[in-house]
C-alpha cells in the first residue's frame, strides 16, 4: 500500500490540531472525576469499621458519621480541588490541587487514627478499627487528582513534589504515632519480627529471579537476535513456560528438583531440593526470563541496520560492535524488560507461601486463617508498594537512558 | 505494545493431541494411576480420591468461562469507551491503572474479597474478573489504535457514521490484537483459578494443594498435569 | 457550484484558514496550491465537513452544507487522499462498493457499477475485483482509491494530493489519465497539491494560498501572465513558462508563416514543451508539423517564444 503517513492531512505548524486543548480538557475531566469520587466517598459507603475484636462483626460508618467536623473539612478540600481544576491553569494550580487532594486523604487518615485510639481505649487491645471500601476509593480519587495535577504541572521538580508529598506526609503522620491504633498498624506491630523475615525472603525471590533473568536472559536475547534457530528454540520454550499455570508449574518442579537433588551432590549442596525455596525460585526465574530475553531480542532487532553496517565498515569486530554499539542502543528497551520482570516477580513471589517457601504471602495466609483482613493487608500492601517503587524507580532510569515512555510495557 | 509475536500458532494437530491426553487423564483413572506409579514409585497414595477429577476440572472450567466472559464483555465495553470521544480523557489514566493492576497478586484480591463475599467461588470470580478486565481493555485500546489513521479517515470521508466505522473498519481490523489479549487473559485465568482452592472455590488447585500439604508429589502431579494441559490447549487453540 | 464565504478555521492558537472567500465553478478542476502548512488541506476538508468551521459558511449549489448531516453530505461528495486509505480487510470490490452500500444500493446495481468503475480507471474487473489491497501496487491502489471516490457518481470530487505518494513515472501516467477522465466526466473537482507541475498540468483554475489566505486565483495562464504579487512569481519560479507550454498542443496555436521542410517532424497533438525539447535535442530551430502522415505546416523556435505569449 501507499505510504500510511499523511503529511497533507494537517497543517504543518504546531503538532496535532487541538492537541493542547484536548490534553487540557482531559486534565480537567480527570481532576473533576477524582474530586467527585473523593467527595462521594466522604459522604457515602463504609469508611471505617469498628470491631471489639477480630471475629465479631462491627459497626461501619461513613467518614462524615465517624469524623464530624473533620469529615466536613475533607469534603471541603475535595470540593476546592474540583474548583481549582475548573480555573485557568497557572504555574501553581496543579500543585494546589494535588495538595488539596492529598490533604483530604491525610485529614481522614489522621481522624481515623484518632478514632481508632479512642475506640481502643474504650474496648482494649483486641479492638480493631479497619478501613472500608470508601477509604480505598478515596485513595483512587487522590491518585486521579494527583495524576491530572501532575500532567498540568510544567516542571519536572513540580511533578516530583506532587508525587512525593503524600508519601512524605504519610511517613511524618505515622512517625507521630497518630496511626498506631489502626487495625493494620496494630497487626503489623504484632507480626513485626515475622514481617521483617518474610520481607527479606520475598525480596530474595523477587530480586534473585530478576538477577538470574538478567544474567541468563540478556545473552539468550543476543543469541536469539543472531540466529533464527536459536530464536525458535529459546523463545519457543520461554513462551511455553509463560503458559504454564503458576501453581501447577511449581508443583511439577518439586519432584523434578527433588530428583536432581537426590541424584547430584553439587545440586544438593546449593540447597536445591524438591521443597523450600528452589521450586518457586525456578518458576519465577522462567517467568522473568521471558520479558528480559524478548526485549533484548527486540531491542537488537530494531537497531537501524545502517548503524551496524557503519560500525562494521569502520572496522569494529563483532564483539566490539555488540558492546559499543548494540548494547548501548538496546539498553533502554532491555531495561524495560528488566522492569517488567521485577514487577512480575515481586507479585509472583506470593506463590512461595503456597509451598511453605516463605515470603510476604505467608503473612497473607495468616490473615486469611485468622479472618483478619488487616493482617492480610500487612502481607499484601508491601508487595504492591514494592512493585510500584520498583516500577517507578526503573522507569526513571529508563527515561534518563533515553527510552520512550511506553517501550514494550 | 507487545512487539514479540512467536511464530508457531494454531496447531490443530497439537490441540487435538493435547485434548485427547487431557480427556484420558480426566476420565481414565486407572491409566493415570499406572503412569503416576511408574513416575513416583515411592508413593503409596497416587491420586486425590475424595472427589473425581471431573468435578475439579468442571469447577475450573466454569470459573474460567464465567470469569472470562464477564471480563471480555466488560473489558471490551470499557476499552471502546476509552477510545471513544467521551472516554478519551481517561485513556492514559486507565492504561496506567492497568499497569498498576499487574503488581497486585490475584490471590491477594481473593483474600481481600473473602470478608464481603464469603468463602467459595464468588471471591475468586471477583478476582478473576478484576484481574482480566484490564488486559482485555488494554488490548482493545491497542487494537483499535493500531488501525491505520488513513483507513478511518477514508471511512469518515466517505460518509460512514461513527458506528459504521467501528463495526465495519475498526473492530475487524483490531480483532487480531484483541484476540491476542483474550488468549493471554484466558491463560492467566487458568493459572489464577488454581489459586482459588485457597478460598474454597474448588478447581484443579484442590488436588495440587492437597498434595503439597501432604508432601505427596504424585497427588500434586495428578492435579497439575491437567491444569498445564488446559492452559496449553487454550493457548494453542485460540 | 461550491461557494466558500469568509471561511475561518483555528487550531489552538494558529489560524489554519483565515477568512477565505472562493467560488468553485461547476465542472472545473480547481487546484488548491501552496507550500505545506498554507491551509489548503484544511480548506478542502471544510467542504465535506471533515473540518468544522469556526466562522463563515460553505454552500453547495446554493445550499449551506450545515443543513445536511455530515455523513449524508459526505456520501454525495467523492473523497480521495494521498494515503488512499483502502480498507485492508476488504476486497477491491467491497472497497469500491463502500458508499453505494451505505446508500443502500441493490447488489446487482453495485456489481455493475464496480465493473464499470474498474474499467474506467484502467484495471481489468475480472482480475482485480477479488484482490486485497495488500496485493496491489501503489499505482493500482490509488486507481482503486479514485474509483471508490467516484462510486456513487457524486457531482463533486475532493482530492488531497492523491498522486503524491507515487513514483514519478506512475504519477505522470495517473495525472494524464485523470485529466482525460475529468474531461469525460465533467465533475467539479477540488484538488489539493503542493506540486507546481501537477497544478499547472491539471488545473483549469489555480488557487494559490499562503498562510491561510488566498494570494491569487486564476487559470495557470492568468497567473503566469499577470502575477499580482511577488510571491506568485517566486513560488512558480523561472520554469513557469515552460510548464505553461506543456498545457498546449501545437494544434492550439494560430497557423504561422513558418515554412515546411525541416527534417525534424512533430505531430499536431504534441505539446509545445515537448516540441521545444525536440528542437533542443535535435539542435534545430524548425520542425515540420504532421497531421497523421500529412505535412500541415512548420513551427520555429521563434513561433513558440513570441507567438505563444500573445495567443495563449
Amino acid at each position: 500500500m501507499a505510504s500510511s503517513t499523511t503529511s497533507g492531512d494537517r497543517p504543518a505548524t504546531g503538532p496535532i490540531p487541538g492537541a493542547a486543548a484536548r490534553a487540557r480538557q482531559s486534565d480537567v475531566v480527570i481532576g473533576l472525576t477524582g474530586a467527585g469520587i473523593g467527595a462521594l466517598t466522604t459522604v457515602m459507603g463504609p469508611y471505617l469499621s469498628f470491631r471489639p475484636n477480630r471475629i465479631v462483626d462491627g459497626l461501619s460508618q461513613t467518614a462524615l458519621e465517624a469524623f464530624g467536623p473533620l469529615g466536613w473539612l475533607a469534603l471541603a478540600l475535595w470540593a476546592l480541588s474540583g474548583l481549582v481544576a475548573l480555573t485557568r491553569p497557572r504555574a501553581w494550580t496543579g500543585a494546589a490541587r494535588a495538595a488539596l487532594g492529598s490533604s483530604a486523604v491525610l485529614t481522614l487518615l489522621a481522624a481515623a487514627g484518632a478514632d481508632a485510639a479512642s475506640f481502643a481505649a474504650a474496648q482494649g487491645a483486641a479492638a480493631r478499627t479497619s478501613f472500608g471500601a470508601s477509604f480505598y476509593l478515596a485513595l483512587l480519587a487522590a491518585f486521579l487528582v494527583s495524576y491530572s495535577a501532575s500532567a498540568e504541572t510544567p516542571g519536572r521538580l513540580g511533578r516530583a513534589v506532587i508525587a512525593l508529598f503524600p508519601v512524605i506526609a504519610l511517613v511524618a503522620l505515622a512517625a507521630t504515632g497518630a496511626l498506631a491504633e489502626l487495625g493494620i498498624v496494630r497487626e503489623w506491630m504484632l507480626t513485626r519480627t515475622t514481617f521483617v523475615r518474610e520481607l527479606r525472603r520475598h525480596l530474595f525471590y523477587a530480586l534473585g529471579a530478576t538477577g538470574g533473568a538478567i544474567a541468563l536472559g540478556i545473552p539468550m536475547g543476543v543469541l536469539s537476535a543472531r540466529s533464527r534457530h536459536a530464536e525458535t528454540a529459546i523463545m519457543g520454550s520461554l513462551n511455553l513456560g509463560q503458559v504454564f499455570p503458576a501453581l501447577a508449574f511449581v508443583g511439577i518442579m518439586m519432584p523434578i528438583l527433588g530428583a536432581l537433588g537426590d541424584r547430584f551432590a553439587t545440586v544438593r549442596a546449593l540447597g536445591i531440593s524438591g521443597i523450600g525455596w528452589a521450586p518457586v525460585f525456578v518458576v519465577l526465574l522462567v517467568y522473568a526470563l521471558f520479558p528480559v530475553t524478548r526485549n533484548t531480542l527486540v531491542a537488537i532487532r530494531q537497531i537501524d541496520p545502517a548503524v551496524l553496517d557503519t560500525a562494521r565498515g569502520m572496522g569494529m569486530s563483532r564483539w566490539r560492535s555488540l558492546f559499543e554499539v548494540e548494547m548501548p542502543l538496546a539498553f533502554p528497551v532491555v531495561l524495560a524488560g528488566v522492569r517488567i520482570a521485577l514487577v512480575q516477580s515481586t507479585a509472583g513471589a506470593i506463590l512461595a507461601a503456597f509451598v511453605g517457601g516463605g515470603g510476604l504471602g505467608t503473612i497473607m495466609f495468616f490473615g486469611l486463617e485468622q479472618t483478619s483482613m488487616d493482617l492480610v493487608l500487612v502481607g499484601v500492601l508491601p508487595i504492591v508498594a514494592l512493585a510500584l517503587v520498583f516500577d517507578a524507580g526503573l522507569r526513571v532510569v529508563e527515561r534518563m537512558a533515553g527510552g520512550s515512555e511506553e517501550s514494550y510495557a | 505494545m507487545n512487539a514479540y509475536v512467536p511464530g508457531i500458532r494454531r496447531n490443530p494437530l497439537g490441540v487435538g493431541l493435547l485434548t485427547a491426553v487431557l480427556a484420558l487423564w480426566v476420565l481414565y483413572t486407572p491409566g493415570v494411576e499406572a503412569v503416576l506409579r511408574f513416575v513416583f514409585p515411592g508413593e503409596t497414595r497416587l491420586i486425590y480420591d475424595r472427589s473425581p477429577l471431573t468435578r475439579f476440572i468442571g469447577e475450573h472450567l466454569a470459573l474460567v468461562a464465567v470469569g472470562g466472559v464477564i471480563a471480555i464483555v466488560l473489558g471490551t465495553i470499557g476499552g471502546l469507551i476509552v477510545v471513544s470521544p467521551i472516554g478519551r480523557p481517561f485513556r492514559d489514566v486507565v492504561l496506567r491503572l492497568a499497569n498498576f493492576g499487574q503488581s497486585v497478586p490475584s490471590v491477594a484480591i481473593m483474600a481481600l474479597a473473602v470478608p464481603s463475599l464469603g468463602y467459595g467461588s464468588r471471591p475468586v470470580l471477583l478476582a478473576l474478573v478484576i484481574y482480566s478486565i484490564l488486559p482485555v481493555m488494554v488490548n482493545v485500546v491497542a487494537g483499535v489504535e493500531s488501525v491505520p489513521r488513513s483507513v478511518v479517515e477514508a471511512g469518515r470521508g466517505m460518509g460512514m457514521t461513527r458506528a459504521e466505522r467501528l463495526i465495519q473498519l475498526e473492530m475487524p481490523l483490531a480483532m487480531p490484537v484483541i484476540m491476542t489479549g483474550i488468549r493471554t487473559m484466558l491463560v492467566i485465568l487458568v493459572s489464577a483459578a488454581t489459586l482459588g482452592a485457597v478460598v474454597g472455590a474448588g478447581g484443579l488447585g484442590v488436588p495440587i494443594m492437597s498434595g503439597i500439604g501432604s508432601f505427596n508429589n504424585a497427588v500434586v502431579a495428578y492435579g497439575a498435569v491437567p491444569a498445564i494441559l488446559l492452559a496449553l490447549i487454550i493457548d494453542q487453540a485460540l | 457550484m461550491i461557494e466558500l464565504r469568509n471561511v475561518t478555521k483555528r487550531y489552538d492558537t494558529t489560524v489554519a484558514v483565515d477568512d477565505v472567500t472562493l467560488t468553485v465553478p461547476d465542472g472545473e478542476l480547481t487546484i488548491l496550491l501552496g507550500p505545506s502548512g498554507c491551509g489548503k488541506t484544511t480548506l478542502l476538508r471544510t467542504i465535506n465537513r471533515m473540518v468544522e468551521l469556526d466562522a463563515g459558511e460553505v454552500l453547495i449549489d446554493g445550499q449551506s452544507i450545515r443543513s445536511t448531516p455530515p455523513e449524508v453530505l459526505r456520501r454525495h461528495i467523492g473523497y480521495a487522499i494521498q494515503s488512499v486509505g483502502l480498507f485492508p480487510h476488504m476486497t477491491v470490490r467491497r472497497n469500491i462498493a463502500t458508499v453505494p452500500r451505505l446508500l443502500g444500493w441493490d447488489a446487482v446495481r453495485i456489481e455493475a457499477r464496480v465493473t464499470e468503475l474498474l474499467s474506467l480507471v484502467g484495471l481489468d474487473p475480472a482480475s482485480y475485483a477479488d484482490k486485497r489491497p495488500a496485493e496491489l501496487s501503489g499505482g493500482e491502489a490509488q486507481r482503486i482509491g479514485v474509483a471508490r471516490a467516484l462510486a456513487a457518481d457524486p457531482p463533486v470530487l475532493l482530492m488531497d494530493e492523491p498522486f503524491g505518494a507515487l513514483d514519478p513515472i506512475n504519477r505522470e501516467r495517473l495525472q494524464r489519465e485523470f485529466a482525460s477522465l475529468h474531461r469525460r466526466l465533467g465533475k467539479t473537482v477540488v484538488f489539493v497539491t503542493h506540486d507546481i507541475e501537477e497544478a499547472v498540468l491539471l488545473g483549469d483554475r489555480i488557487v494559490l494560498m499562503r498562510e491561510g489566505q488566498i494570494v491569487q486565483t486564476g487559470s495557470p495562464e492568468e497567473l503566469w501572465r499577470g502575477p499580482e504579487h511577488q510571491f506568485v512569481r517566486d513560488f512558480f519560479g523561472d520554469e513557469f513558462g515552460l510548464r505553461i507550454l506543456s498545457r498546449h498542443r501545437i494544434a492550439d496555436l494560430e497557423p504561422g508563416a513558418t515554412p515546411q521542410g525541416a527534417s525534424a517532424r512533430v505531430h499536431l497533438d504534441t505539446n509545445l514543451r515537448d516540441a521545444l525539447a525536440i528542437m533542443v535535442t535535435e539542435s534545430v530551430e524548425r520542425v515540420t508539423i504532421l497531421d497523421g502522415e500529412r505535412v500541415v505546416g512548420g513551427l520555429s523556435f521563434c513561433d513558440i517564444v513570441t507567438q505563444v505569449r500573445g495567443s495563449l
Side-chain angles (χ1 to χ4, degrees):
Chain A
M1 282 221 23
S3 96
S4 60
T5 51
T6 53
S7 56
D9 264 10
R10 311 166 164 159
T13 44
I16 301 162
R22 259 208 299 281
R24 167 73 195 134
Q25 183 208 355
S26 142
D27 290 346
V28 173
V29 172
I30 295 174
L32 280 179
T33 309
I37 294 177
L40 278 179
T41 59
T42 322
V43 295
M44 281 167 58
Y47 207 97
L48 272 188
S49 73
F50 303 95
R51 287 167 304 159
N53 60 56
R54 278 171 173 176
I55 320 291
V56 184
D57 269 349
L59 169 74
S60 283
Q61 288 189 326
T62 66
L64 278 187
E65 287 164 356
F67 310 139
L70 279 177
W72 286 105
L73 174 63
L75 190 59
L77 289 170
W78 285 120
L80 259 179
S81 97
L83 278 181
V84 178
L86 284 173
T87 61
R88 193 168 59 83
R90 264 152 289 188
W92 53 269
T93 45
R97 284 164 52 201
L100 286 167
S102 312
S103 305
V105 172
L106 289 165
T107 305
L108 292 171
L109 209 55
D115 272 24
S118 53
F119 186 60
Q123 298 281 337
R128 289 290 180 273
T129 308
S130 315
F131 291 114
S134 281
F135 171 74
Y136 297 105
L137 280 175
L139 288 184
L140 174 70
F143 168 75
L144 291 177
V145 169
S146 295
Y147 178 88
S148 65
S150 177
E152 187 180 287
T153 306
R156 198 173 270 197
L157 182 71
R159 268 180 261 166
V161 170
I162 289 177
L164 292 177
F165 168 71
V167 179
I168 293 166
L170 177 66
V171 171
L173 191 61
T176 63
L179 307 177
E181 294 300 327
L182 283 170
I184 182 168
V185 181
R186 285 198 60 89
E187 298 292 359
W188 179 71
M189 293 294 286
L190 290 174
T191 48
R192 215 172 12 182
T193 31
T194 328
F195 178 83
V196 173
R197 190 183 70 222
E198 300 306 348
L199 177 65
R200 266 206 209 115
R201 280 159 78 171
H202 204 94
L203 284 173
F204 161 75
Y205 285 117
L207 297 174
T210 310
I214 293 171
L216 297 174
I218 293 179
M220 280 161 67
V222 173
L223 197 63
S224 303
R226 289 281 156 86
S227 134
R228 288 276 166 192
H229 291 296
E231 184 197 338
T232 313
I234 292 173
M235 293 317 294
S237 41
L238 286 183
N239 200 54
L240 200 69
Q242 291 278 302
V243 174
F244 280 28
L247 189 61
F249 200 176
V250 175
I252 290 294
M253 286 318 292
M254 294 199 306
I256 294 176
L257 290 175
L260 282 177
D262 292 345
R263 203 77 42 90
F264 303 105
T266 38
V267 175
R268 207 163 41 244
L270 286 169
I272 295 172
S273 70
I275 49 170
W277 63 274
V280 178
F281 188 89
V282 169
V283 168
L284 290 178
L285 177 60
V286 172
Y287 284 153
L289 273 174
F290 184 77
V292 175
T293 311
R294 174 197 62 189
N295 276 31
T296 308
L297 165 63
V298 170
I300 291 182
R301 281 268 164 80
Q302 75 184 11
I303 295 173
D304 180 2
V307 171
L308 300 183
D309 203 52
T310 335
R312 226 156 52 98
M314 288 188 299
M316 280 195 187
S317 70
R318 262 189 114 161
W319 285 104
R320 229 188 146 86
S321 163
L322 179 66
F323 285 108
E324 285 190 18
V325 181
E326 291 171 65
M327 285 320 283
L329 283 172
F331 182 68
V333 179
V334 175
L335 201 60
V338 171
R339 171 170 56 78
I340 295 165
L342 185 54
V343 170
Q344 208 172 280
S345 309
T346 306
I350 203 167
L351 212 67
F354 282 78
V355 294
L360 290 167
T362 314
I363 296 177
M364 182 195 78
F365 273 111
F366 288 159
L368 206 54
E369 281 158 20
Q370 301 171 23
T371 57
S372 163
M373 282 312 110
D374 289 323
L375 193 51
V376 169
L377 283 173
V378 170
V380 170
L381 281 185
I383 298 177
V384 176
L386 275 178
L388 286 180
V389 168
F390 289 149
D391 186 64
L394 284 178
R395 269 179 203 272
V396 170
V397 181
E398 264 167 62
R399 214 163 303 147
M400 288 194 301
S404 66
E405 186 79 348
E406 275 190 49
S407 39
Y408 310 101
Chain B
M1 296 207 103
N2 270 324
Y4 189 83
V5 182
I8 319 147
R9 278 271 159 244
R10 285 208 197 93
N11 180 350
L13 191 72
V15 172
L17 207 65
L18 289 169
T19 314
V21 175
L22 178 61
L24 269 178
W25 191 281
V26 172
L27 298 173
Y28 187 56
T29 314
V32 176
E33 277 183 288
V35 171
L36 291 174
R37 189 171 302 120
F38 175 75
V39 179
F40 304 103
E43 302 289 357
T44 47
R45 198 162 68 91
L46 293 166
I47 59 165
Y48 186 85
D49 44 16
R50 262 173 276 170
S51 262
L53 205 50
T54 43
R55 187 190 132 199
F56 297 123
I57 197 156
E59 287 168 346
H60 211 94
L61 283 174
L63 283 174
V64 171
V66 175
V69 167
I70 297 175
I72 289 171
V73 171
L74 295 182
T76 307
I77 293 173
L80 291 180
I81 289 177
V82 167
V83 293
S84 78
I86 305 159
R88 187 97 212 147
F90 294 97
R91 178 194 176 276
D92 293 353
V93 89
V94 163
L95 292 186
R96 178 70 70 89
L97 283 174
N99 199 51
F100 166 78
Q102 268 199 322
S103 58
V104 184
S106 57
V107 65
I109 305 178
M110 296 176 199
L112 291 171
V114 165
S116 40
L117 298 177
Y119 280 85
S121 57
R122 294 206 313 189
V124 177
L125 272 182
L126 179 78
L128 296 187
V129 168
I130 289 180
Y131 211 59
S132 38
I133 281 183
L134 289 171
V136 176
M137 268 179 88
V138 168
N139 275 277
V140 169
V141 172
V144 170
E145 287 178 355
S146 75
V147 177
R149 218 181 112 82
S150 62
V151 167
V152 184
E153 276 289 280
R156 200 160 84 90
M158 285 189 294
M160 286 185 166
T161 60
R162 184 170 296 287
E164 283 163 344
R165 292 200 297 271
L166 185 68
I167 293 165
Q168 296 185 24
L169 304 182
E170 291 173 310
M171 284 310 272
L173 288 170
M175 224 43 208
V177 181
I178 296 177
M179 279 312 293
T180 308
I182 289 177
R183 184 179 60 225
T184 312
M185 180 272 279
L186 286 175
V187 168
I188 292 173
L189 282 193
V190 171
S191 176
T194 54
L195 307 180
V198 172
V199 293
L204 292 167
V206 173
I208 300 178
M209 299 274 294
S210 157
I212 290 171
S214 56
F215 298 99
N216 184 329
N217 283 331
V219 175
V220 172
Y222 179 65
V225 169
I228 291 172
L229 288 173
L230 192 59
L232 287 175
I233 291 168
I234 288 178
D235 182 59
Q236 292 290 312
L238 288 178
Chain C
M1 192 166 68
I2 306 169
E3 293 163 86
L4 297 98
R5 292 185 187 158
N6 307 99
V7 167
T8 298
K9 178 67 191 178
R10 288 180 211 93
Y11 287 118
D12 294 339
T13 50
T14 55
V15 183
V17 175
D18 186 5
D19 195 27
V20 166
T21 297
L22 175 70
T23 303
V24 178
D26 277 341
E28 281 200 2
L29 200 160
T30 299
I31 303 266
L32 302 182
L33 177 70
S36 52
C38 71
K40 53 191 189 296
T41 292
T42 307
L43 188 64
L44 180 86
R45 285 156 61 91
T46 61
I47 298 173
N48 64 352
R49 292 185 69 178
M50 294 288 276
V51 166
E52 293 289 357
L53 297 179
D54 290 326
E57 62 177 337
V58 177
L59 308 174
I60 297 180
D61 293 332
Q63 203 187 4
S64 168
I65 56 169
R66 286 189 211 219
S67 60
T68 317
E71 280 79 24
V72 178
L73 178 78
R74 289 176 198 145
R75 288 170 196 182
H76 295 94
I77 297 179
Y79 186 59
I81 54 180
Q82 179 185 345
S83 48
V84 195
L86 290 185
F87 305 146
H89 57 308
M90 297 181 187
T91 58
V92 165
R93 172 186 285 112
R94 248 179 107 73
N95 262 290
I96 295 178
T98 305
V99 177
R101 271 191 295 124
L102 291 173
L103 293 172
W105 289 17
D106 62 66
V108 178
R109 189 172 167 208
I110 289 179
E111 185 56 37
R113 182 66 180 154
V114 168
T115 311
E116 182 188 351
L117 281 165
L118 278 171
S119 313
L120 191 69
V121 297
L123 297 174
D124 173 30
S127 52
Y128 279 89
D130 290 315
K131 283 196 177 185
R132 299 258 170 188
E135 302 170 68
L136 302 172
S137 71
E140 289 165 345
Q142 196 50 268
R143 282 165 205 259
I144 306 292
V146 172
R148 189 172 68 168
L150 289 168
D153 204 17
V156 173
L157 199 55
L158 306 181
M159 307 183 87
D160 189 354
E161 307 206 25
F163 311 129
L166 302 177
D167 63 272
I169 294 171
N170 257 308
R171 186 188 312 152
E172 203 187 321
R173 185 182 302 153
L174 258 76
Q175 282 167 348
R176 288 185 192 285
E177 285 179 21
F178 182 72
S180 80
L181 197 65
H182 174 244
R183 276 195 294 277
R184 259 190 296 158
L185 300 176
K187 303 273 181 202
T188 308
V189 181
V190 186
F191 190 112
V192 161
T193 185
H194 63 258
D195 179 346
I196 299 169
E197 184 130 16
E198 184 169 71
V200 175
L201 181 75
L202 295 178
D204 294 319
R205 277 174 8 118
I206 292 179
V207 176
L208 182 63
M209 293 183 67
R210 184 178 60 165
E211 288 170 7
Q213 292 176 320
I214 295 178
V215 181
Q216 190 176 349
T217 303
S219 70
E221 288 75 14
E222 282 165 355
L223 293 186
W224 175 49
R225 233 180 298 133
E228 290 166 5
H229 206 288
Q230 185 58 36
F231 177 72
V232 181
R233 247 178 242 117
D234 294 343
F235 188 80
F236 285 100
D238 292 335
E239 284 186 36
F240 197 5
L242 269 179
R243 292 190 167 125
I244 293 283
L245 288 182
S246 68
R247 291 171 55 81
H248 300 277
R249 297 173 305 149
I250 294 171
D252 299 337
L253 286 180
E254 303 198 356
T258 305
Q260 309 158 1
S263 61
R265 293 160 173 240
V266 296
H267 194 266
L268 201 55
D269 275 342
T270 312
N271 75 47
L272 294 179
R273 188 177 178 175
D274 289 347
L276 194 62
I278 288 167
M279 289 180 195
V280 172
T281 311
E282 304 282 327
S283 301
V284 292
E285 285 186 16
R286 287 184 300 160
V287 291
T288 299
I289 304 167
L290 295 179
D291 182 4
E293 294 300 307
R294 199 163 52 88
V295 174
V296 291
L299 181 72
S300 75
F301 184 75
C302 285
D303 288 338
I304 296 178
V305 176
T306 59
Q307 199 187 342
V308 160
R309 211 164 240 275
S311 63
L312 295 183

